[in-house]
């Protein structure tokens, strides 16, 4: 890989110069490692498998601890992912472990879309990393990497072959994540059936073109062990957190009436192999593959989707500038258009409002005029009435004075008579 | 599927799962701390070994630039540092080659190996610096070169199909050679360091320190430190990048006592007390390069190579390069930080270096 990079550079005109003494840069890997140790590592595992296959138990067994979580029921309406992060510490190494588990996988009646939430979750992690990488001000070296480094696919121990759901899901996931298939609850299968099952599974995977994760064999120190392990895939595992006393040691095991299955016994199951491979030998390689292969692929697809290209059809390199320029102009043009639209709408609205207000004003004026007219009519009427009343009053007064005159004349004559009568009464 | 991990809650609340998947970048949940030592060995610490193996396979790049007037012993010092002929000495130029009219930048790469670790060392020499009569702006070609390396790296990083290992030509460390006048820093020194301490890690070095006595040396160093501080020049290790208390105390000691290192370089060996040592022979004695009583070369070597090599690279990558990148992407119309690369335009590489003043 990159050892050849340096070798290539040597060929390109850099000479190898012999050292005349101890310089001291062989401490460089130590410096690097110390830095990483102080920052801590992170590792994210995704467990995909049907409900009840022992995913949580296996995680507990692998990491020697009891993680939180309740077992899921079979009645989930859709596939969901449940994710938990734990800080593990061993000697001076701190590991941020994230375990993501599928809940409800394989329980629905219609499983066509079961793989979708998983793929979306993995893509979302890549997307988050990509966003961070594309930011102007970014802090990549302290970024908590949430991309999935390893996917443990739990195969049900039917003993026959892979289910079609398994094939479909694995096919969708193989280009996005490192898949390590494992046979769960393998104490349900006998040894002979197991070998046949494994062969069947590997042949089915090959014939369907599913690329599972191969342990790397290019580094001499691990090539041998990785090579042999590759032949044992998929691992048949058993998980158990219960410790039983066997011989004179406490071991993790499952007790049956017909015997005890020991988890860490290589003759009983491949758990030890899985732990070796996953944690003790290849953890770094898993992380690297995720970053350099799966993430780069995602990034490339995503950027191409957005319209960026490295070379145009004539395979002249497209300058990034031009692409950005074009995109930016497009974007600006859109913005301008939107602005225009908004402005137009605003003007329209103002016009409408104005018209309304004018209408209202007109109405008010009319009303005022009407009322005024009414008022004037009323007033006139009242004045007429008043006038007529006055006339009547005058007429009455006249009649009254005339009547009084007459009466006073008459009473003078008759008045004396009344006086006489009164006098007679008195007497 | 639960995007946006919830905080660590009790078991009862665990069943609260977000119903519909929403593409939100997953935020890490507050981690539950578990000490696995109590429960049996898992093997997590093997990751250190795995990492070491991986880095040894990958190999390292290191680019060191030496700046200073001619005759200060730059090439000799670099050869002494790396115990090999990595730098061609000016004295071995042909007669026909004149002193350059402007500052030239010469980068020569070598591959050296030690203890299974392969390193590609590039020594960038700057002949002509400070040698003209009028030295105005003689740091500009150097600044331009440094920014060009950042630009190269940025272009590679922004590519759609990028290489697995982007070749790193960025200058990780710049050794600036101060002339041992014994008085103070020259205006040229101050100007250069002022401009460049913002784009690259500068390590000031007092050259040809065998011309000063011990008292003169310590006085000169104090004066230099004072001047650098007064002028606001932050040399490596910069105060602001100390990550934790341990780093701070260690670096403080270096900053306040040892730097700038007063060094003597030599590639000739002499016999002293039965041992063969690198040194300079004078009528009045042999100056041993690696003797701490004679000069501080050993301190410089340990500092640069044995303890802080990785840190030099990291500060260059995480801080100087990121500053350059942010500036470059922001140059286009003040987009607020945090806005993505997409939707911005990278202006053409400016002919003059990007302004380094914030």
């Amino acid at each position: 890989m990159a050892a050849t990079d340096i070798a290539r550079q040597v060929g390109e005109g850099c000479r190898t110069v012999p050292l005349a003494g101890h310089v001291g840069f062989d401490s460089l890997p130590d410096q690097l490692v110390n830095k990483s140790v102080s920052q801590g590592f992170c590792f994210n595992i995704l467990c995909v498998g049907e409900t009840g296959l022992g995913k949580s138990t296996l995680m507990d067994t692998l990491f020697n601890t009891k993680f939180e979580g309740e077992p899921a029921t079979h009645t989930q309406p859709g596939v969901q992912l449940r994710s938990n992060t734990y800080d593990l510490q061993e000697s001076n190494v701190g590991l941020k472990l994230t375990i993501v588990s599928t809940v409800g996988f394989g329980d629905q009646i219609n499983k066509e879309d079961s793989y979708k939430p998983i793929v979306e979750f993995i893509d979302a992690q890549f997307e988050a990393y990509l966003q961070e990488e594309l930011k102007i001000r970014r802090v990549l070296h302290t970024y908590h990497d949430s991309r999935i480094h390893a996917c443990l696919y739990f195969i049900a121990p039917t003993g026959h072959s892979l289910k079609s759901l398994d094939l479909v899901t694995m096919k969708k996931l193989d280009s996005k994540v490192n898949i390590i298939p494992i046979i769960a609850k393998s104490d349900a299968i006998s040894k002979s059936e197991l070998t046949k099952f494994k062969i069947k599974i590997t042949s089915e995977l090959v014939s369907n073109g599913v690329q599972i994760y191969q342990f790397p064999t290019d580094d001499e120190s691990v090539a041998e062990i990785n090579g042999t392990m590759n032949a044992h895939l998929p691992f048949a595992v058993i998980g158990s957190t219960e410790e039983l006393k066997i011989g004179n040691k406490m071991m993790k095991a499952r007790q049956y009436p017909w015997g005890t299955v020991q988890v860490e016994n290589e003759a009983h199951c491949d758990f030890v192999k899985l732990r070796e491979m996953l944690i003790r030998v290849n953890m770094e390689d898993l992380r690297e593959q995720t970053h350099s292969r799966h993430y780069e692929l995602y990034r490339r697809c995503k950027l191409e989707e957005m319209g960026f290209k490295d070379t145009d059809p004539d395979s002249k390199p497209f300058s990034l500038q031009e692409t950005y320029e074009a995109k930016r102009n497009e974007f600006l043009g859109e913005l301008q258009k939107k602005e225009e639209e908004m402005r137009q709408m605003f003007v329209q609205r103002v016009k409408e409002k104005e018209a309304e207000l004018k209408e209202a004003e007109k109405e008010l004026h009319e009303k005022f005029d009407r009322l005024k007219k009414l008022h004037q009519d009323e007033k006139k009427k009242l004045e007429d009435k008043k006038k007529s009343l006055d006339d009547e009053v005058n007429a009455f007064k006249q009649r009254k004075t005339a009547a009084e005159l007459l009466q006073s004349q008459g009473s003078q004559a008759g008045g004396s008579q009344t006086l006489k009568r009164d006098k007679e009464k008195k007497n | 599927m639960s995007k946006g991990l919830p905080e660590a809650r009790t078991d009862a609340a665990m069943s609260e799962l977000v119903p519909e998947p929403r593409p939100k970048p997953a935020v890490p949940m507050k981690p539950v701390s578990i000490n696995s030592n109590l429960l049996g060995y898992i093997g997590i610490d093997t990751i250190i070994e795995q990492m070491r193996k991986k880095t040894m396979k990958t190999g390292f790049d290191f680019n060191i630039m030496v700046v200073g007037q001619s005759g200060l012993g730059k090439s000799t010092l670099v050869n002494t540092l790396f115990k090999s002929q990595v730098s061609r000495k000016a004295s071995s130029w042909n007669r026909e080659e004149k002193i350059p009219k402007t500052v030239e930048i010469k980068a020569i790469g070598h591959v050296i190996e030690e203890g299974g670790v392969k390193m590609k060392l590039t020594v960038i020499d700057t002949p002509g610096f400070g040698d003209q009569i009028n030295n105005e702006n003689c740091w500009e070609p150097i600044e331009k070169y440094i920014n060009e390396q950042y630009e190269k790296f940025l272009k590679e990083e922004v590519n759609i199909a990028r290489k697995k290992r982007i070749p790193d030509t960025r200058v990780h460390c710049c050794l600036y050679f101060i002339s041992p006048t014994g008085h103070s820093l020259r205006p040229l020194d101050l100007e250069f360091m002022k401009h460049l301490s913002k784009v690259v890690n500068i390590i000031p070095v007092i050259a040809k320190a065998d011309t000063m006595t011990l008292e003169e040396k310590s006085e000169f160093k104090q004066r230099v430190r004072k001047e650098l501080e007064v002028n606001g020049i932050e040399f490596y290790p910069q105060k602001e990048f100390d990550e934790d208390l341990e780093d701070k105390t260690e670096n403080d000691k270096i900053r306040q006592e040892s730097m700038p290192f007063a060094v003597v370089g030599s590639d000739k060996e002499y016999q002293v007390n039965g041992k063969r040592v690198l040194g300079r022979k004078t009528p009045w004695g042999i100056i041993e390069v690696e003797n701490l009583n004679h000069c501080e070369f050993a301190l410089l070597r340990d500092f640069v190579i044995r303890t802080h090599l990785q840190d030099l690279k990291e500060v260059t990558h995480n801080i100087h390069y990121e500053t350059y990148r942010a500036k470059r992407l922001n140059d286009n119309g003040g987009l607020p930080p945090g806005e993505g690369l997409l939707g911005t335009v990278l202006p053409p590489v400016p002919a003059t270096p990007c302004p380094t003043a914030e």
Side-chain angles (χ1 to χ4, degrees), chain A residues 1-3 5-6 9-10 14-33 35-37 41 62-65 67-70 79-93 95-96 103 117-118 120-121 124-125 128 133-138 141 144 146 218-219 221-222 275 279-285 287-288 292 295-296 299-300 303-304 306 308-310 320-321 324-325 328, chain B residues 1-3 5 9 11-12 14 17-19 21 24-26 28-37 39-48 50-61 81-86 109-115 117-120 157-162 164-165 243 301 305-311 314 318 321-322 325-326 329-330 332 335 337-348:
Chain A
M1 197 198 67
D5 270 358
I6 299 230
Q9 280 161 354
V10 173
C14 284
R15 351 166 256 151
T16 317
V17 177
L19 296 174
H22 178 69
V23 177
F25 62 86
D26 52 353
S27 64
L28 197 46
D30 288 319
Q31 293 179 31
L32 188 78
V33 162
K35 198 89 200 202
S36 309
V37 165
F41 302 92
L62 256 179
F63 292 102
N64 267 339
T65 178
F67 293 124
E68 283 179 19
E70 276 181 355
V79 178
Q80 292 159 17
L81 277 89
R82 179 157 60 177
S83 161
N84 295 316
T85 311
Y86 306 97
D87 258 340
L88 300 178
Q89 179 90 17
E90 198 166 74
S91 50
N92 60 341
V93 178
L95 178 74
K96 235 190 189 63
V103 175
I118 306 175
E120 280 171 14
F121 180 81
Q125 309 315 310
E133 198 185 26
L134 291 178
K135 274 201 196 145
I136 294 190
R137 273 188 224 285
R138 57 187 192 183
H141 54 286
H144 171 79
S146 57
D218 44 0
D219 186 359
S221 49
V222 291
R275 186 177 56 193
I279 301 176
R280 296 188 190 167
V281 178
N282 294 311
M283 201 193 263
E284 187 55 36
D285 186 67
R287 280 152 45 109
E288 189 173 332
S292 57
Y295 170 70
E296 286 295 319
R299 178 178 174 272
R300 203 177 323 148
L303 290 180
E304 276 178 4
M306 292 196 188
F308 294 100
K309 289 193 276 282
D310 273 342
L320 235 44
Q321 242 163 279
Y324 288 142
E325 187 90 30
R328 182 167 197 250
Chain B
M1 115 179 72
S2 66
K3 310 274 177 178
L5 315 179
R9 297 197 212 112
D11 284 346
M14 259 318 165
L17 302 167
V18 177
K24 230 180 356 179
M29 188 176 78
K30 206 156 167 206
V32 175
S33 191
I34 301 178
N35 193 336
S36 53
N37 268 338
L39 303 156
Y41 178 67
I42 301 175
I44 299 174
D45 48 1
T46 53
I47 194 168
I48 297 186
Q50 297 175 31
M51 254 197 123
R52 185 178 286 127
K53 263 195 237 142
K54 183 182 88 160
T55 50
M56 300 237 316
K57 226 173 51 152
T58 327
F60 300 90
D61 283 341
L81 259 180
F82 292 100
K83 296 239 169 69
S84 52
Q85 295 289 324
V86 285
H110 300 280
V111 174
I112 45 183
E113 181 177 340
E114 185 178 65
V117 179
K118 273 204 172 67
M119 180 155 95
K120 174 156 182 293
E157 198 186 28
V158 162
N159 250 346
I160 301 215
R162 8 184 228 204
K164 213 157 193 181
R165 209 173 90 102
E243 280 176 1
R301 179 199 53 207
I305 299 179
R306 292 186 192 172
T307 50
H308 284 74
L309 191 70
Q310 182 60 26
D311 192 52
E314 288 207 356
N318 291 333
Y321 170 68
E322 290 292 324
R325 179 179 174 275
L329 300 180
N330 250 338
N332 164 58
L335 280 173
E339 188 119 332
L341 184 64
L342 313 164
T344 69
V345 175
L346 282 180

